[in-house]
Amino acid sequence: MNLRPRAESKERTPDQDVNIAQNSGFLAVSAGLVGVVSYACTLLMANMLGTADYTQFAAAAMILGVVGIVANAMVPLPLSHVVAVHPEGSEERRNGVAFSVFVSCLAGIAAAAITGGVTLALATPALAAAVALAAFVIFVVNAPAGWLQGELRFTWYAVSTIGEVVLRLIFSLLVIVMAWGAGGAVLGFVAGCLAPLVVPWSFYRDLRWRPRVLLEKWRWAETSDIASVLCIVSVLVGIDVVVVGFLDNGSVEAAGFQALATIAKGPVYVAAGTALVAFPLLRTPGVKVGEVLGASFASFGQLVVVAFAIIATAPPLMSGVIVPQKYHGSLGLLPWLAASGLGYAVLMVLATILLAMRAYRRCQIGLACACLLVIGGLWIGWQLNAVSGMAVGSAIGAVTAGLVLTLLARPVLASANPGKRAGRFAILAFALIVILAVAAHLQPLLWLLLAGISGATVLAHQRGMLPHRNDFKISRRRQVGRRSKSTGRRSQPESDDISPVPAWVTRALSSNLTAFIAVVAAAFGVRALGLERGFEVWVDEMLYVRLGESVAAGQFPTLPDGPFFLHPPGYFLLEAGVVHIFRITGEIIEVTLQLRWLNALMGAATVGLGFLLVRKLATPTAAWLTAVLLAFEPFILRNNSHAFLETSAMVPGLAGLLLLVSTKEPKSKLHSFLRLATAGLLLGYSILCKDFFFICTVAPVVAAMVWKKTFPWRQGLVVTAFGFVPYVIYLTVVAAHGHFPSWVWAKTNGLVRMSGVEKSTGFTAEGSPSILSRLVEQSGHFGTSYILLGLCPVVGLLLCFSYHAGRRLIGLAGLALGAAGAYSALFGTFEEQYGYGVMVAGAICSVLVVVEIRERYPKTRKTLAVVSVCYVVLTVVLGLRTALTVDNGFVRANDWVQANLPADARISVTNSTGHFAYMHDPRFGIWPSAPLMKENGVSYILTQSKPTSQGYGYANPTMLAWLKDHATPIVTTPGPTNGETTIWYVDPAALDAAAAASVGVPSKDFGTER
C-alpha cells in the first residue's frame, strides 16, 4: 500500500541506526518490568481485598489491560507509520497526529461505554464508572506513544510506560491507606496515565486542530484494518480471565486462575516488545524486509522461549512466593496458562507483522480460526472440569491457533527464511525446558540459578554483549522535501490471499454494544460527508457558539447585549467543555464549523440510541431499519450538521427513555433506584438543553402513570423528581446571582412568542411565506421528512394503545411532540429547527407501529415490507442528496473576505447572519440601500438572493435587482438555503446615481430580521 508517493530520501547517520535485537529485548525487559510493577499493584489488592472484591478488581484490571492493547493497536501503530515516513513539521505528519488524537477520543468514548457495560455485569455501578473513566483516559493518552514509536525513541517509550505503572503503584498505596476499595484501585489506572503525556515538546508542536482529516477515507481504512485485527487479538489474550470471573464469580479457584494468568501472560510482553519495533521498521521506506523479519523472529524466539520455560517450570516453592497463600491451590494450572500465553504471543507477533506486510486477508482468516479454537477450548474445558478445564482448554486452543496462523503466514514471510536454523533452535528450546523442569523437580534453588543464567544470557545476547549472528542493523530513511498529493489508498491485496469467511461478523452484530458502536460510527460517517460544505451557516448557531464561548470563559451564557436566559445552558456547557479541552479560538464562522463536529457526534449517538430503543421494543430488523432512517433522514441530518440545541437535547432524552423501557428485572432495590434516578437525570438534562423537550421526556412519564398503567406511579415519581433536579440547580444558580427577574422576563416573552400570541418569527408571522409553500418548495430535499412530520402524532396515538408498556411510553412521547408541532404550525410559532424532535420521534414511532400492525395483522406482512423498503430507499437517496449538495455561501464569502478585502474597505451586510458574523469588524455594517451605502462610503455589499427576494433580511428586493444590472460580482456561491450568496463591488459613479434615485430603501425597519 502506497500511502503517499515518496519524495527523495536520504540515509540516516550511523548513530541513528536501529538495532532490532537490542530494542526488542530492551522493550521486552521494560514490558516485563511493567508487568512486575503491575502485578505488585495486583498483589497489594489481592492481600488487602476480600476474595469477591479482588475477583471484581482482577476482572476490571484485565478488561483495562485489553483496552490498553486495543488502544496500542488502534492509535500508536498507524501513527507510528506516519511519523516514520514523514519529517517533523510536515503537513502530513500533523494531519496524522490530528487524526490519531480524534480517533483516540472517539474510540475512548466507545471503550468507556463497552467496558462500563461489561463491568456492570460483573460488579457495582461505581466500579463500572471507574472502569469506564479509565478506559477513556487510556485511549486518550495513546497518541504520544505512537509518536515515540515512529520516532524510534524506544528508551523514552519504555521509561514512559514504566512511569505509568509506578504512578499506579503509588496510587494503590494511597488506596490502601484511604480504604477506597476496588473502585479506588481502578482509578489508579487514571492516575498512571499522566506519565505518557510527558513527551518531547516536538510532539505537541505537531499537534493541530484539524477535524477535516476525519473525512479522509484512507486513514480510516488503515486504522480499521489494524484495529480490527489487534482488537481480536487483545480480546483473545484476556478473554479467559474475564470469562472465568463471570462464570465462577467470587470463588477462590477463579481468583487463583486470574492471579496466575497475569503471570502467565509473560510471553505476551515479549511479543509486545517485538511488535513495537518491527511495525514501524517494516513500514519505513527503503527497508530490507527480509533482514527485519529475520532479526525480529530471532529476537522474539529467543525471548519468548526463555519466558515460557521459566513460567511453565516454576516450582511451587518459588511461584508461591509471589502468589498469595489462599491461591496456592491453583499453582498446578501455571504450566497450562503459560502455554496459552505462548500461543497468544505468537498470535500477537504474527498478526502485527502481517499487518505491517499488509497481508490482511491471511491475518483475518487466521484470527477467525483462532476465535473458534480459543473460545471452543474455553467452552469445552469449562464443561469438562470448570476452572481447571478452562486452563487446559485455553492452552490447547491458543497453541493450536498460533500454529494455524503460522502456516497461513509462512508464504508471506518467505523472505525471512523462517525454516533456516529452525530445527537447531527447536532442539535448544526443548532442551532448556527439560533442564529447567528437571531442576525444578530436584531442587528449586538450582532451578532459580539456571533460570537466572538463561534469562541473563539471552538478554546479554540481545544487547550485543555476546557474539551472535542476528544483530541486524536496519537503516531508517527519513523523507524530506515537498510531498505530492495523493489519495493515500491501500494497494490491492495479494493475489494468493483467499477471501475469508468472517464468521465472527455475525456473532459481533448480534451484540447490542457492538451493533451500537457500528451504527454510531456509520452515522457519524454520514454526517461527516457534508458537515462543513453542505450546510449553510445560520445566525442561530453562531449565537449558540458565542454563548458556549462565554460559558468557557467562566460567565453566564452571555451575548453582547447581556446575559441570555431564553434557553437553558445545557448545550452551552457542552460547547464550553469542547472549547476548553481543544482550545478552540478564531473567527466566529471558523469556530462554528469546528463545533459542528460536536453535534455530528451527538447526532450519531442519537441514531445509535434510536437503534437500541427499537431493538429493545421490537425486532432486530426493525432496529436496523430505524438506524438507516435516522442516519439518512435529511431533516435530521441537517439539524445534526448545525450547532443547534435540539441535537444535544435529544441524546439524553433518548438515553433516559431507553433506561425506562428496560425489561430486565432489577438485581436489587438499589439497582432499580439507581436506574430510575439516572433516567430522570438524563431526561432532566434534556430539558436543561431546551425547555421544549419537557413535553417528550418528563411529561410522557407523568402521563404514563395514569394511562393504562403504563408506568408504575412510584417509579414515575422517582423519575419525575430527578428529572427536575438539573433545572432546579440551574434556577438556584440564577437566583443566587440575582438574575431571576431577567430569567422570568425572558421565559415569559418566549412563551408568548411560542404560543402564537405574539407572531414576530416563524411561518405564521406577518409577511412570511406560508408553511405550505415552503413544504412544496423543499419537498425535493425533505419530502420524507414532511411525511414523518405528519405521521408523528398519528403513529404516536396508535402506539398509545399498544399491548406493550414500553411502546405505549414511546407513543406518549411521540403524540406529545406531534401535537405540539401541529399546534405550532397552525397557530403558534413554528420554526424549522423545532421539527427535529418531531422527526426523530416520528421515525421511531413509525417503525414501531409497522411492527405492531404486523404482529396484529400478519397478512399485511408483504405490503408493509414493500412500503417500508421503498420509503427507506427514498430516505437514503434524499439524505445523500442533502449531505452532498454544496451549500456554503457564507464560508466561501468569508474566505474571500479574509484573503482579499482591503483594510480600509467598507462592506454592507443584508441579513442577520452576516451582521452577527462581522459585528466586531469595523469594516462591516447594516447599510442595505444605495443612499446608506453612499453615506457610509461603502463599496462592497454581501447579499443572499433567496431570502432577499422573499422579503427576509435587511435589503429591499429592488436593491438586489439593481445590483445585478449595475454592480460587479466578486465571488458568487449558489446554494439551496440562500440562493446565490454574492459579494458585489459597486462603482462609485453608479452608486451616486442610485443614491440620488433612492434605490433599495427598505420599506420597514431593518434593525432585526423577521
Side-chain angles (χ1 to χ4, degrees), residues 825-909:
L826 296 175
F827 309 106
T829 299
F830 188 85
E831 297 177 354
E832 292 188 9
Q833 61 267 36
Y834 289 0
Y836 173 72
V838 182
M839 304 294 180
V840 174
I844 294 174
C845 291
S846 295
V847 173
L848 291 177
V849 163
V850 169
V851 174
E852 189 85 14
I853 294 175
R854 179 184 171 183
E855 291 174 352
R856 297 194 184 196
Y857 308 100
K859 293 183 179 180
T860 62
R861 176 179 180 179
K862 292 184 178 179
T863 302
L864 292 173
V866 172
V867 173
S868 299
V869 170
C870 292
Y871 185 82
V872 169
V873 171
L874 181 59
T875 299
V876 172
V877 171
L878 293 183
L880 289 175
R881 179 184 179 185
T882 300
L884 298 177
T885 299
V886 177
D887 190 19
N888 61 343
F890 266 107
V891 173
R892 290 284 305 278
N894 183 65
D895 291 341
W896 184 89
V897 166
Q898 301 300 328
N900 302 293
L901 186 66
D904 58 347
R906 304 296 291 273
I907 180 170
S908 173
V909 294

Side-chain angles (χ1 to χ4, degrees), residues 535-544 564 566-567 571-572 599 633-650 689-693 695-696 753-754 761-763 771 774-775 778 782 785-786 789 817 820-821 824-825 829-841 912-913 952 977 1009-1010:
F535 301 93
E536 186 60 275
V537 177
W538 281 29
V539 66
D540 294 44
E541 56 179 335
M542 289 194 295
L543 286 168
Y544 300 150
F564 179 85
L566 181 61
H567 298 302
Y571 177 59
F572 312 140
N599 272 32
E633 207 325 289
F635 194 91
I636 294 174
L637 192 61
R638 182 183 189 184
N639 194 285
N640 294 161
S641 301
H642 288 95
F644 288 158
L645 305 175
E646 290 76 17
T647 298
S648 63
M650 184 56 70
C689 291
K690 189 163 187 177
D691 316 71
F692 175 77
F693 276 72
I695 67 173
C696 63
R753 187 161 61 95
M754 187 177 69
T761 61
F763 293 106
I771 188 172
R774 194 63 178 269
L775 293 177
Q778 296 192 347
F782 302 106
S785 305
Y786 299 144
L789 192 66
L817 275 173
S824 299
T829 299
F830 188 85
E831 297 177 354
E832 292 188 9
Q833 61 267 36
Y834 289 0
Y836 173 72
V838 182
M839 304 294 180
V840 174
S912 58
T913 302
Y952 281 86
T977 300
E1009 185 177 8
R1010 291 203 309 274

